Amino acid sequence: MNSNIFELEYRIPYYDVDYQKRTLITSLINYFNDIAFVQSENLGGIAYLTQNNLGWVLMNWDIKVDRYPRFNERVLVRTAPHSFNKFFAYRWFEIYDKDEIKIAKANSRWLLINTEKRRPVKINDYLYGIYGVSYENNNILPIEEPQKLLSIDIEKQFEVRYSDLDSNGHANNVKYVVWALDTVPLEIISNYSLKRLKVKYEKEVTYGKTVRVLTGIFSEQKTIVSLHKIVDEDETELCFLESVWFLNEKLS
Amino acid sequence: MNSNIFELEYRIPYYDVDYQKRTLITSLINYFNDIAFVQSENLGGIAYLTQNNLGWVLMNWDIKVDRYPRFNERVLVRTAPHSFNKFFAYRWFEIYDKDEIKIAKANSRWLLINTEKRRPVKINDYLYGIYGVSYENNNILPIEEPQKLLSIDIEKQFEVRYSDLDSNGHANNVKYVVWALDTVPLEIISNYSLKRLKVKYEKEVTYGKTVRVLTGIFSEQKTIVSLHKIVDEDETELCFLESVWFLNEKLS
């Protein structure tokens, strides 16, 4: 068990909620990315990585949301590096409301790479040390991969915008989710809540490129599942996503 | 002078900085929109407006930035409703760093409308009361309008995404700035700093519509000026923008 638990409070600002004043899942992912970066910087990870041409590349999200915080609500986000396994790091996130109720959780998998050679690098003792990860604990966090897309109902193109870019010059990981969810029909977004999101990243994408989202949607009872594949102009696969939507309960 | 000054602290998160780790101007505008909304809600303005089918529609921004805050920096944003003038409200914003140095300021102009009839409404006594605006002070804040675009160098299309929408179902005012700035060449964004931004809004735009940004760029000595016009599919004018860029000083 890693004791390097870090927490930050986030107040939900106006621009992080949708037209129903519910926080966007992409905003929750923004908080996860931010708190991971802040902790990594606090521990000296970012400085060490930069000096040694190393970087963490996000491979997977597996996110479960029970309740979306509302505008102006204050939530506590907790995270810790859970374990390392050769090239891979596992990190979890939890969101608590002011009554200490856990309203969302996420597991993530990251790959350590050499940023010049763009090749995986085995996680070394120094990184074990500063992230406080034990050698004994190399068990991985449970992360489900998205189901493969079999039939396409919707297709949409996006051009990578300047504001989509990360500090490394690639489209930020959350933008893949923005593009994918933008293909989900508004009647689903209005009447259903996204309770589970699985993302598998395959390849980065840069400024000015056009990406294409292929989406398949099927329903089972009170649930709708949307599957997404994102490809670039050469049909190279960039990302796979699966989102699970539950019908909102009507207030009587 | 209005004494209804309201302030909030913002920590600059990872997703609000560009690849040079400088805060995006669109993030600063997000903070302005957020703090205005929070103050308006605290004063009972939002509840009153909703009950009476009223709403504030943003007409103008005139923003000056001396220094962009960096990742993880904490800044204090201050705002107050300055004055009312018939249908129009004027609100100012200031951003201070931890040394109490003012690093940015903005003036804004808002129109009160009936949200059903989409018609301007004269600001009534009740709103003067709760916003703490005096009848004597009907002087307006200085707001410069963007210069008109005369020649077009760059043209780009954007589709209004779900994540672009405000809680009223229209594209959020900051998205017009996102679209406009996305047409500015990366070599300007990389080597220059945006120090002044003037925006004039003409018309709202809804989900799924395609907007077109027409951009003209000219330079004068160490300054580059970019002018933008945003139109919809019917060539209706939605927004005009002017941004002024100063060459970054090289560290020697």
Side-chain angles (χ1 to χ4, degrees), chain A residues 48-56 112-115 121 124 127:
Chain A
Y48 177 81
L49 294 174
T50 309
Q51 282 153 22
N52 293 279
N53 298 319
L54 297 171
W56 295 116
L112 185 67
I113 64 156
N114 179 301
T115 50
V121 175
N124 67 22
L127 289 169

Side-chain angles (χ1 to χ4, degrees), chain A residues 8-22 24 26-27 30-31 33-35 37-38 41-42 46 71-72 74 156-169 172 175 178-179 181-186 189 207-208, chain B residues 8-22 24 26-27 30-31 33-35 37-38 41-42 46 71-72 74 156-169 172 175 178-179 181-186 189 207-208:
Chain A
L8 270 180
E9 188 189 79
Y10 290 79
R11 183 186 60 83
I12 311 297
Y14 187 62
Y15 48 87
D16 279 349
V17 298
D18 67 6
Y19 72 97
Q20 299 177 77
K21 299 233 182 113
R22 287 184 313 191
L24 296 155
T26 46
S27 297
N30 274 336
Y31 306 160
N33 279 308
D34 178 58
I35 194 173
F37 198 92
V38 172
E41 186 162 89
N42 288 352
I46 301 298
F71 166 64
N72 217 16
R74 286 176 191 268
K156 213 163 171 179
Q157 283 195 0
F158 299 92
E159 206 185 319
V160 180
R161 302 175 181 172
Y162 164 65
S163 57
D164 293 335
L165 301 184
D166 224 329
S167 58
N168 59 20
N172 183 278
K175 300 301 173 177
V178 170
W179 298 326
L181 295 186
D182 200 69
T183 66
V184 177
L186 210 52
I189 287 171
Y207 177 76
Chain B
L8 269 179
E9 188 191 79
Y10 290 78
R11 184 186 60 81
I12 310 297
Y14 187 62
Y15 48 87
D16 279 349
V17 298
D18 67 7
Y19 72 98
Q20 299 178 76
K21 298 235 183 109
R22 286 185 311 192
L24 297 155
T26 45
S27 298
N30 275 334
Y31 306 161
N33 278 307
D34 178 58
I35 195 174
F37 199 92
V38 172
E41 186 162 89
N42 288 352
I46 302 298
F71 167 62
N72 217 18
R74 285 175 192 269
K156 214 163 171 178
Q157 282 194 0
F158 299 91
E159 206 185 316
V160 180
R161 302 175 181 170
Y162 164 65
S163 57
D164 293 335
L165 301 184
D166 224 330
S167 59
N168 58 21
N172 182 278
K175 300 301 172 177
V178 170
W179 299 324
L181 296 185
D182 200 70
T183 66
V184 177
L186 210 52
I189 288 171
Y207 177 76

